[in-house]
Amino acid sequence: MSHNWIPGVCWSIIKRDLLIKHNIFFYENIKAEDQIFYIQILTCKESLIVIEASNIIYNYRVRADSIMTSPTIKYFIDHFTVCQLITDWVNKNKFNDDVINATNKIKSRIYQSALGIYHNFPEDNRKQVQHYITQDILDFVNQYLGTNYSFNHS
């Protein structure tokens, strides 16, 4: 599997029976919830087949004023909510180190996305959410992505 592979529900075919059997569902009122959903599927202890197809299979259309082009404060905060849900899932299921490492990489990419949203926010929005960006989160992202993020709240 390629290093850049990102799990995504929008380009997946998943049997309904698997979801029902393992009580896997989308969390309501949370954006970016597909990340926890997909982690739950990949770690449900079933035999799964992941077929990596060319990027041309999925055509992502960007619309003006969508959550992707005009992110809201709630969308920013939901990134942190999803990361907490992933942490809770991993802790509940006591996975091995390989699974923990893989989910931490996914979490670090979610945090990285939140950092990008933050930096594109107007100053008023940044002031409202800056407390979400802690040194622990920056250290976590830097550890798993090999980046060198720093942050100044002033």
Side-chain angles (χ1 to χ4, degrees):
M1 207 167 304
S2 85
H3 178 69
N4 294 324
W5 181 74
I6 300 171
V9 174
C10 53
W11 51 75
S12 299
I13 299 171
I14 303 161
K15 288 186 176 184
R16 182 177 184 267
D17 293 345
L18 179 108
L19 301 175
I20 292 168
K21 178 179 177 182
H22 295 283
N23 197 30
I24 298 172
F25 56 90
F26 280 107
Y27 288 83
E28 292 186 29
N29 301 315
I30 297 176
K31 302 294 183 204
E33 74 283 6
D34 57 328
Q35 297 300 316
I36 180 63
F37 181 86
Y38 213 85
I39 287 171
Q40 290 171 326
I41 290 168
L42 292 175
T43 59
C44 71
K45 297 179 177 69
E46 292 276 340
S47 288
L48 301 173
I49 297 173
V50 175
I51 300 171
E52 186 176 18
S54 167
N55 289 342
I56 202 152
I57 300 289
Y58 182 76
N59 185 16
Y60 192 84
R61 184 173 36 176
V62 178
R63 297 180 324 271
D65 295 325
S66 74
I67 196 69
M68 300 304 290
T69 59
S70 302
T72 63
I73 289 175
K74 181 182 180 339
Y75 182 60
F76 172 85
I77 293 169
D78 283 351
H79 281 67
F80 294 85
T81 303
V82 167
C83 284
Q84 185 59 55
L85 290 169
I86 292 169
T87 299
D88 294 346
W89 177 257
V90 169
N91 291 341
K92 173 184 165 189
N93 288 284
K94 298 178 174 56
F95 294 118
N96 67 36
D97 289 344
D98 289 339
V99 173
I100 293 168
N101 190 46
T103 57
N104 282 342
K105 285 181 181 177
I106 293 169
K107 279 176 32 182
S108 64
R109 293 204 180 275
I110 296 168
Y111 285 136
Q112 184 182 41
S113 175
L115 291 170
I117 292 167
Y118 175 85
H119 287 293
N120 289 316
F121 268 161
E123 187 175 339
D124 287 346
N125 287 10
R126 277 189 249 142
K127 286 180 181 178
Q128 291 180 55
V129 298
Q130 68 184 9
H131 63 280
Y132 281 89
I133 303 173
T134 65
Q135 190 60 50
D136 286 344
I137 287 174
L138 295 174
D139 292 344
F140 181 85
V141 172
N142 290 336
Q143 174 186 352
Y144 284 96
L145 296 183
T147 54
N148 192 23
Y149 284 106
S150 61
F151 185 73
N152 184 351
H153 283 298
S154 56

